Structures are given as structure tokens and as C-alpha cells.
């Protein structure tokens, strides 16, 4: 049997990086340039086509949303605060919004209701042939979006939707300039984005760097840095060496086993935060390739029951995070969360072996596509899981690839992924329905991994229409049970985001992973 001690040996095997470079603190300036070493930059920075973990950390620095989540006064971000929209009210199926006046885009034009309405329009997000089709995932039920004055607009939905302000805190609420967007086209806009945020994009090369210059005409005051440079440094050792030497002011994605090394340096501050995000893997449940053994649910069940994820998480993260044994039962969902729920497929290697036999699996290799060093500790966990699967007779091969474009290429049997949990603050709508429903990329993209069952779609439609809590909770539980019956994926742990920066900087992280280099989130000495 694969033991806790065996897991410990694999974790320790990574070793520690030793750096001899002394720390040199850059001289303070009234308006300094900040350099942030990141592991990756997404290839497109459009607000919808550019959705990714790596772009989310950057977006709020050059885009503003209509509604904001207040993480300063509430660590869970459940307080909604005005941003570009100063007020809103619901009347039946119609939400009316009033916009902040005098807000400028980075090209010097004033933001008006025409821009806000276009941002949320059928042409852009939810019509028959929208510019950014992924927007349909976020705008289900939209019927009309219309400017009703220079600074007012309305959203009409097919049925009363009390969650519209919360939905506008997400990607779809990031306002774009209509005229410029139409001139550039989606791809062109994603390479040279324009927003209303405190910084403006002046350079973007997706494989190398993004440079943001201060936008001193920002409606909420000039930002504290004159420039913010996001520089790709793929290897952690390079990011750490640059922070210690003073070349970088911030770094991201610190391997857990290197945190102690980093904390040993003077003038460096390490910050951790558990995030509204969960690394996972998707099972390819479709007959593509034609002889895919994972079409049989028994093999998927066996793979889940062969994983001792509680022990893996303890070995890799200590007490910093946890494994959600019951999918979609997350603490951030407040009244939806039930800590007493028991998993339908608990760790049980004996049962796993029986299910392998039942499935008729013949031992052929199963390809697991993994993005290199994208999720902290993911590859270490994969190594352990592969050993646990081997013990019950399942042959999995980790194929570690340099980017998601390669990960998405078939053939594969498993694929790494992650999911955010906060499209509607405090509600399971996004991870359970938006991320797995019939319009989700996991069920529509060329690399799709499952076809939602008729029952899942039926239950999802019921869930989507519930507005009273008890009815909504019941619908959510039914939908979750159907997902678990199919088991098209597996959630591993609640993400632990970490960063490090110069210790003379005061910076507040957010559970959504955003790195806001302005306002109450950043104070420079």
C-alpha cells in the first residue's frame, strides 16, 4: 500500500534552491516603477476571450468593472460596492443602472452608457453570433441591454434575476470602449486593450512582457506607481533570484517547499491567501479517442477512490489548505455549504480494485496532459497519484507540456484545469452550472471532455431559475448529485496563492487572485 511515508519521500525529493545573491533594496521614489515577475501571461487580454488565472491578476489595473467586491472590509468579498456604476435598482425583470460621470478611457474618450450597454450587448456577448461567444456563459437569460440616457442603462432579463449586480463584479462587467473595440476587432483589442483603469497598456508581448503606465486622469486619482511591468520569468529560481537582488519588486507562484528559503532573506515579505479557486483534472468521458477506457464510469469511480488526497494535501501544503471531499461543497458558499456531507466516492483502494475489474480496463496507458509549473504542487501531486493508481492496476502517464495550447491537443484521457467559485458571490452558480453546463468550454470547445447528460441539463435549468434560497439549495444539491453520478472530473484542493515582495511595500492580496497595484491595496514607502 502507498503510505504517508512514501508520499513524504516524493515531496522531499524536490530539494531546495540555494541563492548566494545578496538583497539590494532599490532607492525609494515618489512614483516608482514596479516590476512583477510572473510565470505566464495569457495570449489575449480581451475581457472575455482573455479569461485565465494569469490575466485575472492583471485585469483590474487597466479595466474597471461596473460593480466591485469589497475585500478591504470583508475578507470574503461579499460586500458589493459601486465602481463605474454608482447605483442600481431592480423593478421586476429590469435592472436600472446609473454610471459615474466624467470617467475617461485611456484613449481620452469619455465613458458613457453606450459603452456600458455595448459591453453587455447581444452583439458582443449573447446574440446569435456574438463577437466573444464565451460571453453566453455569463449572460444566460439576458433579453435586452439598452442605454436610456448618457449615463444610465438597463438590463432586462427573461425572468426576475436578483443576482445581476453580483454577476457584474465578474469579467462581463469590465467596461470596454465601443468605438475602439469595433475598430480593432476582438483579436486586435485583446492585443492592445483600452479600459478606464488606473494604468494603461503601453506594451504587450504575450510571451514576454506587459507594461502599464500610470493613467493620471483616472477618475479615482492618480495611481501610486508611474509604471508597472509584468515580466515573464518561467522558472521560480529566476523569480526568486530577481526579488532577492532587487531586480523585481514582486514575484508570484512560490513552490511550497521554497517558502522557507525565501523567508530566510532579509527585506523580503512572503504573503499567502487561500483563493476562490480549485485545481482539478477533467476526465475525458467521450469516445475520442475511440477506444477511450474512461467512457466507462466504473473506471472513473475507481480512479477517484484510489486517491488519498487528504494525505497528499497534508504532505504538500500542511495546514494551509484542504481537499473538498464532496465536490461543489465549498465553505465560501455560506448557507449552501454543509460540512457534514459525506463523499459518495471516499478513498478506498480495495473498492477501487473491484471497480477496475468491473470496468474491464486492460491496462493501456492513460495520457494525463499537465501544464508545466502552472499550478503550485500540481506535478508533485500527480506523481503521487500516479503511484496510487498503479497500486490498483491503473496505468497513467503524466505528459507535462509547456502551455495550454499543447494540453488541449488530442489525444488525451485526463487534463489539468482549475475553476473559480465566485461569479455570483456566495453562490455555487459558476462552478457547478457555468463551468459544466451546455454552454461551458468543457462541453463545447474542440478539446471538450464531456457531454452534459439530459438530466444534468434539466436539473441545471431548474437550478438557474430558482431565486428563493430553500428552492435554490435543493436544486443545487440535485444538480451536484447528478454531476457526482457521472464524475467528469475531480477537485484536488483549495488553491493557496502566494506572493513575495519587498518588505517596504504594504500590499493586500485578494482571494480572487487579483493583484491590484492601486487604491487601498497598495502603499509605497
Amino acid at each position: 500500500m502507498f503510505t504517508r511515508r512514501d508520499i513524504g519521500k516524493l515531496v522531499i525529493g524536490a530539494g531546495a534552491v540555494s541563492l548566494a545573491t545578496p538583497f539590494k533594496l532599490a532607492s525609494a521614489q515618489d512614483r516608482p516603477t514596479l516590476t512583477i515577475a510572473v510565470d505566464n501571461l495569457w495570449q489575449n487580454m480581451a475581457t472575455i476571450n482573455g479569461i485565465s488565472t494569469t490575466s485575472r491578476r492583471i485585469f483590474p489595473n487597466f479595466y474597471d468593472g461596473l460593480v466591485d467586491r469589497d475585500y478591504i472590509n470583508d475578507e470574503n468579498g461579499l460586500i458589493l460596492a459601486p465602481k463605474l456604476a454608482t447605483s442600481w435598482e431592480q423593478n421586476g425583470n429590469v435592472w436600472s443602472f446609473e454610471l459615474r460621470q466624467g470617467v475617461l478611457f485611456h484613449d481620452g474618450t469619455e465613458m458613457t452608457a453606450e459603452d456600458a450597454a455595448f459591453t453587455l450587448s447581444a452583439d458582443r456577448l449573447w446574440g446569435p453570433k456574438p463577437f466573444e461567444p464565451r460571453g453566453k456563459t455569463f449572460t444566460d437569460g439576458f433579453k435586452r441591454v439598452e442605454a436610456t440616457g448618457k449615463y444610465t442603462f438597463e438590463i432586462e432579463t427573461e425572468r426576475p434575476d436578483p443576482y445581476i449586480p453580483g454577476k457584474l463584479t465578474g469579467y462581463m462587467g469590465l467596461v470596454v470602449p465601443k468605438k475602439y473595440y469595433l475598430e480593432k476587432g476582438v483579436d486586435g483589442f485583446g492585443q492592445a486593450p483600452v479600459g478606464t483603469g488606473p494604468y494603461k497598456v503601453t506594451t504587450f508581448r504575450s510571451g514576454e512582457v506587459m507594461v502599464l503606465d500610470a493613467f493620471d486622469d483616472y477618475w479615482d486619482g492618480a495611481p501610486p506607481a508611474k509604471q508597472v511591468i509584468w515580466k515573464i520569468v518561467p522558472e521560480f529560481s529566476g523569480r526568486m533570484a530577481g526579488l532577492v537582488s532587487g531586480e523585481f519588486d514582486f514575484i508570484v507562484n512560490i513552490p511550497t517547499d521554497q517558502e522557507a528559503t525565501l523567508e530566510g532573506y532579509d527585506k523580503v515579505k512572503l504573503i499567502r491567501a487561500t483563493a476562490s479557486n480549485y485545481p482539478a483534472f477533467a476526465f475525458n468521458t467521450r469516445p475520442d479517442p475511440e477506444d477511450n477506457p474512461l467512457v466507462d464510469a466504473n473506471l472513473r469511480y475507481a480512479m477517484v477512490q484510489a486517491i488519498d488526497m487528504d494525505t497528499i494535501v497534508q504532505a504538500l501544503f500542511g495546514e494551509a489548505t484542504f481537499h473538498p471531499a464532496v465536490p461543489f461543497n465549498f465553505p465560501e458558499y455560506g448557507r449552501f455549504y454543509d460540512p457534514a456531507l459525506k463523499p459518495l466516492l471516499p478513498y478506498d483502494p480495495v473498492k477501487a480494485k473491484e471497480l477496475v475489474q468491473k470496468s474491464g480496463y486492460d491496462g493501456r496507458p492513460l495520457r494525463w496532459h499537465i501544464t508545466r509549473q502552472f499550478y503550485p504542487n500540481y506535478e508533485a501531486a500527480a506523481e503521487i497519484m500516479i503511484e496510487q493508481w498503479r497500486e490498483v492496476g491503473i496505468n497513467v502517464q503524466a505528459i507535462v507540456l509547456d502551455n495550454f495550447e499543447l494540453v488541449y491537443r488530442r489525444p488525451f484521457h485526463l487534463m489539468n484545469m482549475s475553476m473559480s467559485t465566485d461569479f455570483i458571490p456566495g453562490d455555487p452558480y459558476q462552478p457547478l452550472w457555468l463551468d459544466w453546463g451546455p454552454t461551458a468550454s468543457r462541453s463545447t470547445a474542440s478539446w471538450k471532455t464531456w457531454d452534459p447528460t439530459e438530466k444534468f441539463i434539466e436539473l441545471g435549468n431548474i437550478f438557474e431559475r430558482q431565486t428563493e434560497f430553500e428552492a435554490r439549495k435543493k436544486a443545487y444539491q440535485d444538480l451536484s448529485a447528478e454531476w457526482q453520478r457521472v464524475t467528469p472530473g475531480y477537485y484536488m484542493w483549495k488553491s493557496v496563492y502566494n506572493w513575495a515582495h519587498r518588505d517596504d511595500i504594504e500590499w493586500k492580496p485578494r482571494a480572487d487572485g487579483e493583484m491590484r497595484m492601486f487604491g487601498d491595496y497598495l502603499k509605497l514607502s
Side-chain angles (χ1 to χ4, degrees), residues 368-392:
W368 185 2
H369 283 192
I370 297 174
T371 310
R372 188 183 309 278
Q373 296 185 356
F374 192 77
Y375 306 112
N377 289 332
Y378 196 102
E379 288 152 271
E383 183 178 352
I384 299 166
M385 292 159 67
I386 287 169
E387 287 299 311
Q388 293 183 334
W389 285 327
R390 183 186 58 77
E391 288 194 348
V392 300

mmCIF file of all heavy atoms in Angstrom, residues 368-392:
data_model
loop_
_atom_site.group_PDB
_atom_site.id
_atom_site.type_symbol
_atom_site.label_atom_id
_atom_site.label_comp_id
_atom_site.label_asym_id
_atom_site.label_seq_id
_atom_site.Cartn_x
_atom_site.Cartn_y
_atom_site.Cartn_z
ATOM 1 N N TRP A 368 -2.267 11.808 -19.280
ATOM 2 C CA TRP A 368 -2.712 12.937 -18.459
ATOM 3 C C TRP A 368 -1.917 14.163 -18.892
ATOM 4 O O TRP A 368 -0.727 14.264 -18.611
ATOM 5 C CB TRP A 368 -2.475 12.625 -16.989
ATOM 6 C CG TRP A 368 -3.000 13.649 -16.024
ATOM 7 C CD1 TRP A 368 -3.695 14.787 -16.304
ATOM 8 C CD2 TRP A 368 -2.869 13.606 -14.599
ATOM 9 N NE1 TRP A 368 -4.017 15.453 -15.153
ATOM 10 C CE2 TRP A 368 -3.522 14.747 -14.090
ATOM 11 C CE3 TRP A 368 -2.278 12.703 -13.712
ATOM 12 C CZ2 TRP A 368 -3.575 15.019 -12.717
ATOM 13 C CZ3 TRP A 368 -2.334 12.978 -12.351
ATOM 14 C CH2 TRP A 368 -2.979 14.117 -11.871
ATOM 15 N N HIS A 369 -2.565 15.107 -19.568
ATOM 16 C CA HIS A 369 -1.909 16.328 -20.023
ATOM 17 C C HIS A 369 -1.870 17.343 -18.881
ATOM 18 O O HIS A 369 -2.912 17.703 -18.321
ATOM 19 C CB HIS A 369 -2.650 16.921 -21.223
ATOM 20 C CG HIS A 369 -2.375 16.194 -22.495
ATOM 21 N ND1 HIS A 369 -2.734 16.677 -23.740
ATOM 22 C CD2 HIS A 369 -1.758 15.006 -22.736
ATOM 23 C CE1 HIS A 369 -2.357 15.838 -24.675
ATOM 24 N NE2 HIS A 369 -1.766 14.812 -24.090
ATOM 25 N N ILE A 370 -0.663 17.828 -18.582
ATOM 26 C CA ILE A 370 -0.441 18.742 -17.457
ATOM 27 C C ILE A 370 0.392 19.925 -17.948
ATOM 28 O O ILE A 370 1.408 19.746 -18.616
ATOM 29 C CB ILE A 370 0.295 18.031 -16.306
ATOM 30 C CG1 ILE A 370 -0.569 16.886 -15.752
ATOM 31 C CG2 ILE A 370 0.662 19.005 -15.200
ATOM 32 C CD1 ILE A 370 0.127 16.038 -14.716
ATOM 33 N N THR A 371 -0.052 21.142 -17.604
ATOM 34 C CA THR A 371 0.687 22.347 -17.968
ATOM 35 C C THR A 371 1.845 22.541 -17.002
ATOM 36 O O THR A 371 1.660 22.594 -15.787
ATOM 37 C CB THR A 371 -0.225 23.583 -17.915
ATOM 38 O OG1 THR A 371 -1.418 23.311 -18.644
ATOM 39 C CG2 THR A 371 0.473 24.789 -18.528
ATOM 40 N N ARG A 372 3.025 22.661 -17.535
ATOM 41 C CA ARG A 372 4.245 22.719 -16.731
ATOM 42 C C ARG A 372 4.232 23.894 -15.744
ATOM 43 O O ARG A 372 4.045 25.055 -16.130
ATOM 44 C CB ARG A 372 5.463 22.844 -17.654
ATOM 45 C CG ARG A 372 6.815 22.711 -16.947
ATOM 46 C CD ARG A 372 7.971 22.927 -17.922
ATOM 47 N NE ARG A 372 7.835 22.108 -19.113
ATOM 48 C CZ ARG A 372 8.197 20.829 -19.201
ATOM 49 N NH1 ARG A 372 8.732 20.233 -18.156
ATOM 50 N NH2 ARG A 372 8.043 20.160 -20.333
ATOM 51 N N GLN A 373 4.395 23.580 -14.469
ATOM 52 C CA GLN A 373 4.568 24.563 -13.388
ATOM 53 C C GLN A 373 3.483 25.630 -13.368
ATOM 54 O O GLN A 373 3.737 26.770 -12.981
ATOM 55 C CB GLN A 373 5.953 25.221 -13.507
ATOM 56 C CG GLN A 373 7.099 24.261 -13.322
ATOM 57 C CD GLN A 373 8.451 24.929 -13.327
ATOM 58 O OE1 GLN A 373 8.581 26.134 -13.551
ATOM 59 N NE2 GLN A 373 9.487 24.155 -13.089
ATOM 60 N N PHE A 374 2.262 25.261 -13.762
ATOM 61 C CA PHE A 374 1.200 26.261 -13.798
ATOM 62 C C PHE A 374 0.478 26.360 -12.460
ATOM 63 O O PHE A 374 0.192 27.449 -11.986
ATOM 64 C CB PHE A 374 0.202 25.927 -14.911
ATOM 65 C CG PHE A 374 -0.756 27.050 -15.206
ATOM 66 C CD1 PHE A 374 -0.340 28.150 -15.940
ATOM 67 C CD2 PHE A 374 -2.049 27.008 -14.739
ATOM 68 C CE1 PHE A 374 -1.209 29.189 -16.206
ATOM 69 C CE2 PHE A 374 -2.929 28.052 -15.007
ATOM 70 C CZ PHE A 374 -2.509 29.145 -15.747
ATOM 71 N N TYR A 375 0.167 25.217 -11.845
ATOM 72 C CA TYR A 375 -0.484 25.192 -10.541
ATOM 73 C C TYR A 375 0.525 24.713 -9.507
ATOM 74 O O TYR A 375 1.111 23.636 -9.665
ATOM 75 C CB TYR A 375 -1.686 24.246 -10.547
ATOM 76 C CG TYR A 375 -2.693 24.514 -11.640
ATOM 77 C CD1 TYR A 375 -2.865 23.608 -12.690
ATOM 78 C CD2 TYR A 375 -3.475 25.661 -11.630
ATOM 79 C CE1 TYR A 375 -3.785 23.843 -13.689
ATOM 80 C CE2 TYR A 375 -4.393 25.909 -12.634
ATOM 81 C CZ TYR A 375 -4.553 24.993 -13.659
ATOM 82 O OH TYR A 375 -5.460 25.225 -14.661
ATOM 83 N N PRO A 376 0.753 25.484 -8.434
ATOM 84 C CA PRO A 376 1.732 25.067 -7.429
ATOM 85 C C PRO A 376 1.453 23.662 -6.900
ATOM 86 O O PRO A 376 0.323 23.327 -6.545
ATOM 87 C CB PRO A 376 1.550 26.130 -6.323
ATOM 88 C CG PRO A 376 1.063 27.344 -7.051
ATOM 89 C CD PRO A 376 0.173 26.807 -8.139
ATOM 90 N N ASN A 377 2.496 22.835 -6.907
ATOM 91 C CA ASN A 377 2.476 21.470 -6.378
ATOM 92 C C ASN A 377 1.648 20.485 -7.204
ATOM 93 O O ASN A 377 1.508 19.319 -6.824
ATOM 94 C CB ASN A 377 1.974 21.445 -4.916
ATOM 95 C CG ASN A 377 2.976 22.023 -3.954
ATOM 96 O OD1 ASN A 377 4.173 21.978 -4.185
ATOM 97 N ND2 ASN A 377 2.498 22.592 -2.872
ATOM 98 N N TYR A 378 1.125 20.915 -8.337
ATOM 99 C CA TYR A 378 0.282 20.019 -9.136
ATOM 100 C C TYR A 378 1.087 18.824 -9.642
ATOM 101 O O TYR A 378 0.629 17.676 -9.562
ATOM 102 C CB TYR A 378 -0.312 20.794 -10.305
ATOM 103 C CG TYR A 378 -1.482 20.127 -10.995
ATOM 104 C CD1 TYR A 378 -2.783 20.540 -10.738
ATOM 105 C CD2 TYR A 378 -1.302 19.098 -11.916
ATOM 106 C CE1 TYR A 378 -3.873 19.943 -11.360
ATOM 107 C CE2 TYR A 378 -2.374 18.492 -12.544
ATOM 108 C CZ TYR A 378 -3.659 18.926 -12.270
ATOM 109 O OH TYR A 378 -4.728 18.326 -12.895
ATOM 110 N N GLU A 379 2.273 19.082 -10.153
ATOM 111 C CA GLU A 379 3.081 17.987 -10.710
ATOM 112 C C GLU A 379 3.543 17.028 -9.621
ATOM 113 O O GLU A 379 3.602 15.812 -9.841
ATOM 114 C CB GLU A 379 4.261 18.561 -11.482
ATOM 115 C CG GLU A 379 3.832 19.203 -12.799
ATOM 116 C CD GLU A 379 4.748 20.323 -13.247
ATOM 117 O OE1 GLU A 379 4.505 21.475 -12.847
ATOM 118 O OE2 GLU A 379 5.696 20.041 -13.991
ATOM 119 N N ALA A 380 3.838 17.562 -8.422
ATOM 120 C CA ALA A 380 4.209 16.681 -7.311
ATOM 121 C C ALA A 380 3.026 15.802 -6.911
ATOM 122 O O ALA A 380 3.172 14.599 -6.661
ATOM 123 C CB ALA A 380 4.677 17.516 -6.121
ATOM 124 N N ALA A 381 1.833 16.398 -6.852
ATOM 125 C CA ALA A 381 0.637 15.623 -6.532
ATOM 126 C C ALA A 381 0.373 14.571 -7.601
ATOM 127 O O ALA A 381 0.000 13.427 -7.291
ATOM 128 C CB ALA A 381 -0.568 16.550 -6.386
ATOM 129 N N ALA A 382 0.572 14.937 -8.863
ATOM 130 C CA ALA A 382 0.338 13.986 -9.958
ATOM 131 C C ALA A 382 1.249 12.778 -9.836
ATOM 132 O O ALA A 382 0.826 11.630 -10.068
ATOM 133 C CB ALA A 382 0.557 14.685 -11.301
ATOM 134 N N GLU A 383 2.489 13.005 -9.463
ATOM 135 C CA GLU A 383 3.428 11.895 -9.312
ATOM 136 C C GLU A 383 2.944 10.908 -8.249
ATOM 137 O O GLU A 383 2.996 9.681 -8.427
ATOM 138 C CB GLU A 383 4.808 12.439 -8.932
ATOM 139 C CG GLU A 383 5.882 11.381 -8.831
ATOM 140 C CD GLU A 383 7.249 11.950 -8.507
ATOM 141 O OE1 GLU A 383 7.395 13.199 -8.517
ATOM 142 O OE2 GLU A 383 8.159 11.156 -8.250
ATOM 143 N N ILE A 384 2.426 11.457 -7.146
ATOM 144 C CA ILE A 384 1.925 10.603 -6.068
ATOM 145 C C ILE A 384 0.672 9.861 -6.514
ATOM 146 O O ILE A 384 0.514 8.652 -6.283
ATOM 147 C CB ILE A 384 1.636 11.456 -4.821
ATOM 148 C CG1 ILE A 384 2.920 12.132 -4.337
ATOM 149 C CG2 ILE A 384 1.035 10.588 -3.719
ATOM 150 C CD1 ILE A 384 2.695 13.238 -3.326
ATOM 151 N N MET A 385 -0.241 10.560 -7.179
ATOM 152 C CA MET A 385 -1.490 9.948 -7.624
ATOM 153 C C MET A 385 -1.230 8.830 -8.627
ATOM 154 O O MET A 385 -1.902 7.788 -8.603
ATOM 155 C CB MET A 385 -2.393 11.025 -8.225
ATOM 156 C CG MET A 385 -2.901 12.021 -7.185
ATOM 157 S SD MET A 385 -3.450 13.592 -7.896
ATOM 158 C CE MET A 385 -4.886 13.042 -8.804
ATOM 159 N N ILE A 386 -0.270 9.040 -9.499
ATOM 160 C CA ILE A 386 0.061 8.005 -10.485
ATOM 161 C C ILE A 386 0.517 6.729 -9.783
ATOM 162 O O ILE A 386 0.178 5.610 -10.203
ATOM 163 C CB ILE A 386 1.120 8.538 -11.467
ATOM 164 C CG1 ILE A 386 0.471 9.555 -12.425
ATOM 165 C CG2 ILE A 386 1.786 7.402 -12.252
ATOM 166 C CD1 ILE A 386 1.454 10.331 -13.251
ATOM 167 N N GLU A 387 1.266 6.887 -8.696
ATOM 168 C CA GLU A 387 1.685 5.714 -7.922
ATOM 169 C C GLU A 387 0.482 5.039 -7.251
ATOM 170 O O GLU A 387 0.389 3.809 -7.199
ATOM 171 C CB GLU A 387 2.722 6.123 -6.876
ATOM 172 C CG GLU A 387 4.090 6.436 -7.452
ATOM 173 C CD GLU A 387 4.678 5.223 -8.161
ATOM 174 O OE1 GLU A 387 4.677 4.127 -7.570
ATOM 175 O OE2 GLU A 387 5.132 5.377 -9.308
ATOM 176 N N GLN A 388 -0.428 5.840 -6.725
ATOM 177 C CA GLN A 388 -1.606 5.260 -6.085
ATOM 178 C C GLN A 388 -2.488 4.546 -7.116
ATOM 179 O O GLN A 388 -3.064 3.495 -6.823
ATOM 180 C CB GLN A 388 -2.387 6.361 -5.364
ATOM 181 C CG GLN A 388 -1.625 6.932 -4.172
ATOM 182 C CD GLN A 388 -2.401 7.979 -3.406
ATOM 183 O OE1 GLN A 388 -3.283 8.639 -3.952
ATOM 184 N NE2 GLN A 388 -2.069 8.157 -2.137
ATOM 185 N N TRP A 389 -2.616 5.103 -8.305
ATOM 186 C CA TRP A 389 -3.371 4.433 -9.361
ATOM 187 C C TRP A 389 -2.692 3.121 -9.790
ATOM 188 O O TRP A 389 -3.350 2.123 -10.039
ATOM 189 C CB TRP A 389 -3.541 5.362 -10.559
ATOM 190 C CG TRP A 389 -4.566 6.436 -10.333
ATOM 191 C CD1 TRP A 389 -5.703 6.335 -9.595
ATOM 192 C CD2 TRP A 389 -4.540 7.776 -10.850
ATOM 193 N NE1 TRP A 389 -6.403 7.520 -9.620
ATOM 194 C CE2 TRP A 389 -5.719 8.417 -10.380
ATOM 195 C CE3 TRP A 389 -3.658 8.489 -11.654
ATOM 196 C CZ2 TRP A 389 -6.025 9.745 -10.704
ATOM 197 C CZ3 TRP A 389 -3.959 9.795 -11.977
ATOM 198 C CH2 TRP A 389 -5.126 10.418 -11.503
ATOM 199 N N ARG A 390 -1.365 3.148 -9.861
ATOM 200 C CA ARG A 390 -0.627 1.945 -10.245
ATOM 201 C C ARG A 390 -0.914 0.800 -9.275
ATOM 202 O O ARG A 390 -1.034 -0.363 -9.678
ATOM 203 C CB ARG A 390 0.878 2.248 -10.277
ATOM 204 C CG ARG A 390 1.733 1.062 -10.741
ATOM 205 C CD ARG A 390 3.208 1.381 -10.620
ATOM 206 N NE ARG A 390 3.575 1.726 -9.251
ATOM 207 C CZ ARG A 390 3.741 0.840 -8.276
ATOM 208 N NH1 ARG A 390 3.582 -0.448 -8.513
ATOM 209 N NH2 ARG A 390 4.076 1.245 -7.057
ATOM 210 N N GLU A 391 -1.063 1.132 -7.990
ATOM 211 C CA GLU A 391 -1.300 0.094 -6.980
ATOM 212 C C GLU A 391 -2.642 -0.613 -7.155
ATOM 213 O O GLU A 391 -2.815 -1.740 -6.699
ATOM 214 C CB GLU A 391 -1.213 0.693 -5.577
ATOM 215 C CG GLU A 391 0.202 1.044 -5.167
ATOM 216 C CD GLU A 391 0.312 1.311 -3.688
ATOM 217 O OE1 GLU A 391 -0.743 1.453 -3.018
ATOM 218 O OE2 GLU A 391 1.446 1.366 -3.187
ATOM 219 N N VAL A 392 -3.595 0.055 -7.811
ATOM 220 C CA VAL A 392 -4.900 -0.592 -8.023
ATOM 221 C C VAL A 392 -5.052 -1.085 -9.465
ATOM 222 O O VAL A 392 -6.127 -1.510 -9.872
ATOM 223 C CB VAL A 392 -6.065 0.353 -7.655
ATOM 224 C CG1 VAL A 392 -5.979 0.770 -6.195
ATOM 225 C CG2 VAL A 392 -6.132 1.565 -8.575
#
